[in-house]
Amino acid sequence: MSGPSTLNVQLSTRPQFPWRIVDVIVAGIFIYAGAIKTLDPDQFASDIDNYKIVPWPVSVVLAIYLPWLEIFCGFALVVRLLYRGALSISTALILTFTFATVAAKVRGLDITCGCFGHASQHWSLPAHLATNLGILAALLVLFFLGTARAKAVL
């Protein structure tokens, strides 16, 4: 009998361990990036302002709250609390960071991304984009894998 119940059992018995490793790696990236930025919010506000997308007061507010959002999303991925929301917010963040970086480069701005503090200060645009696209790919796989798992349980 190959009805829906058989399919549900087959999908739900797939090994989850490799994807938990991806969860923890992506979570670690967001936690680390957020923690680095909380140590020097003035520098992060300056990094945001260098993009010339938002006014200085908005840069300051973002520099205060954005790192904590990254940390919260990272912890949510690890403990799987509000998991899909954390994946959605993290995906929106990485897309925003990527588009802001490309927009700055197109406008001829020579900036550091501020993503990982001083560690990412001298990254080239291709290295920065490759990192962001790798994180984005992992987030999308986790999101769609989680959606498939949720449907399999139903």
Side-chain angles (χ1 to χ4, degrees):
M1 181 164 144
S2 63
S5 62
T6 306
L7 179 62
N8 289 347
V9 171
Q10 290 172 347
L11 287 175
S12 63
T13 58
R14 289 188 309 189
Q16 301 303 317
F17 183 70
W19 299 113
R20 285 298 294 149
I21 293 172
V22 175
D23 272 337
V24 171
I25 290 170
V26 171
I29 290 169
F30 276 92
I31 292 168
Y32 175 76
I36 289 295
K37 292 174 210 163
T38 60
L39 296 176
D40 194 357
D42 294 334
Q43 180 60 48
F44 186 47
S46 178
D47 289 342
I48 293 170
D49 190 54
N50 288 339
Y51 283 87
K52 304 297 181 209
I53 296 174
V54 296
W56 173 251
V58 175
S59 297
V60 171
V61 170
L62 287 173
I64 293 169
Y65 292 108
L66 196 58
W68 291 105
L69 181 61
E70 290 177 313
I71 292 168
F72 175 79
C73 286
F75 278 120
L77 292 177
V78 170
V79 299
R80 299 187 67 83
L81 177 68
L82 304 172
Y83 183 76
R84 289 182 62 175
L87 284 173
S88 298
I89 292 170
S90 299
T91 301
L93 288 172
I94 204 74
L95 284 171
T96 302
F97 299 156
T98 303
F99 287 132
T101 301
V102 170
K105 196 64 168 176
V106 166
R107 291 181 293 146
L109 300 176
D110 187 23
I111 59 171
T112 61
C113 71
C115 306
F116 299 104
H118 296 295
S120 61
Q121 191 172 19
H122 300 292
W123 284 8
S124 66
L125 180 66
H128 185 222
L129 290 178
T131 301
N132 283 6
L133 293 176
I135 295 168
L136 177 62
L139 286 166
L140 292 174
V141 166
L142 292 172
F143 186 83
F144 290 114
L145 182 69
T147 302
R149 271 188 267 161
K151 287 180 183 177
V153 172
L154 298 175

